[in-house]
Amino acid sequence: MEKIYDLIIIGGGPGGIGSAVEAKVLGLEKVLMIEKTDNHSHTIRKFYKDMKRVDKDWQGQAVDMEGNVEFTDGTKESTLDFFDSLLDDEKIDTRFNCAVEKVEKKDGVFHVVSGCGVDRAKNVIVAIGRMGKPNKPSYKIPPSLRSQINFNLDKCSNGEHILVVGGGDSAVEYACELSATNEVTLNYRREDLTRPNPTNQEMIAEYCDNEAVRLKLGVDIEGLESEHGQVKVNFTDGSELFDRVIYAIGGTTPKDFLKSCGITLDETGEPVFDDNYESEVPGLYIAGDIVFNSGGSIAIALNHGYRIVNHILSKEN
């Protein structure tokens, strides 16, 4: 007979990895994790700067680890190494470079359709991230400027006049990191930076005091233009020229994909789920970044996996 997995996990980030580890530890035998890129933790690899601090506690709020994954504070590199060890030690069945197209439930069994074929499972966890599709500004970015517009730190050069747009942890960290070799302005539409965690708030205050980063707060951007090879940024209080603009304004829920998996979305486009992270389709769960309306936490995503697997096992008993 064709193999039916106890659980298929879509997404190889913290939520997916945590779910896979907990499934194996707690007794689900046939588990498969599918990731569309060539390795796990794509968001961390692409959007975290090298040696970025990775905290267990989310935005300064203590997070108690509930399951079998002993996650602690570290860096981007140590976190990736830790996830490597989990996948290797637990001998999780993983499939990389495999993009899932849709999920259908037929006769009580989920059919996960991907570029690698069709796999069947009793339960499915969708653990994809938001940052795979970063938020973009509402105004149009002129095609001539696309090589000078970033949503991460890729292709940034030294000696540039850079504008970082955003008010969260990533924006602050980008601005401080780039200020070592560039002239950096950090723009946020609100008057105060309240979203970054306490450590990052202290860091940006210090960088501003030392005039390493210039703050432009309480000012919105109306649009961009190309002027003599530079980016002309039209603020509500006037225009300035920059060599590069980096947007660090979060990511969007991949609505079309969630719909293709049969997950109901609310009026704001967010997935509908209950206290067990189960969607309106029994046996279909969500975990990780897409659970959050804003921001994300590796530790909380790992806890999602523990709670979901326990709920799956409770229904079987």
Side-chain angles (χ1 to χ4, degrees), residues 167-182:
D169 286 307
S170 293
V172 167
E173 290 168 3
Y174 287 175
C176 294
E177 171 78 6
L178 291 166
S179 69
T181 54
N182 299 276

Side-chain angles (χ1 to χ4, degrees), residues 69-253:
V69 180
E70 297 179 0
F71 180 69
T72 58
D73 295 344
T75 63
K76 168 186 175 179
E77 289 75 13
S78 68
T79 300
L80 292 174
D81 289 343
F82 175 63
F83 288 152
D84 280 341
S85 69
L86 290 178
L87 293 175
D88 290 342
D89 290 349
E90 297 297 337
K91 297 180 175 60
I92 304 297
D93 187 1
T94 55
R95 186 181 297 161
F96 295 108
N97 288 315
C98 185
V100 173
E101 299 168 6
K102 62 180 179 178
V103 176
E104 299 176 309
K105 192 172 187 181
K106 302 176 182 178
D107 300 323
V109 176
F110 291 100
H111 293 240
V112 180
V113 182
S114 71
C116 306
V118 180
D119 294 283
R120 300 197 298 164
K122 299 176 183 177
N123 301 278
V124 171
I125 299 176
V126 178
I128 58 176
R130 292 175 183 261
M131 288 303 294
K133 187 178 181 182
N135 280 335
K136 296 184 179 180
S138 58
Y139 44 86
K140 182 179 179 181
I141 297 175
S144 60
L145 293 177
R146 285 176 183 165
S147 65
Q148 295 160 269
I149 305 300
N150 287 48
F151 296 90
N152 53 42
L153 296 185
D154 288 352
K155 300 178 182 178
C156 289
S157 302
N158 295 337
E160 291 185 319
H161 187 191
I162 296 176
L163 176 68
V164 178
V165 181
D169 286 307
S170 293
V172 167
E173 290 168 3
Y174 287 175
C176 294
E177 171 78 6
L178 291 166
S179 69
T181 54
N182 299 276
E183 181 182 349
V184 178
T185 298
L186 176 61
N187 164 244
Y188 185 46
R189 57 189 175 84
R190 300 193 185 279
E191 296 284 351
D192 300 298
L193 290 170
T194 58
R195 290 173 50 205
N197 64 50
T199 301
N200 279 340
Q201 290 195 33
E202 291 178 8
M203 180 171 68
I204 191 62
E206 178 183 344
Y207 274 64
C208 290
D209 289 343
N210 294 331
E211 298 183 350
V213 174
R214 169 192 170 221
L215 288 184
K216 190 175 179 68
L217 303 180
V219 181
D220 216 338
I221 298 175
E222 296 180 331
L224 307 180
E225 298 177 59
S226 178
E227 184 169 304
H228 307 305
Q230 289 185 291
V231 184
K232 181 181 179 181
V233 181
N234 297 318
F235 296 101
T236 50
D237 66 349
S239 300
E240 295 184 37
L241 293 175
F242 297 90
D243 298 310
R244 184 174 302 280
V245 178
I246 302 174
Y247 291 95
I249 51 178
T252 57
T253 303

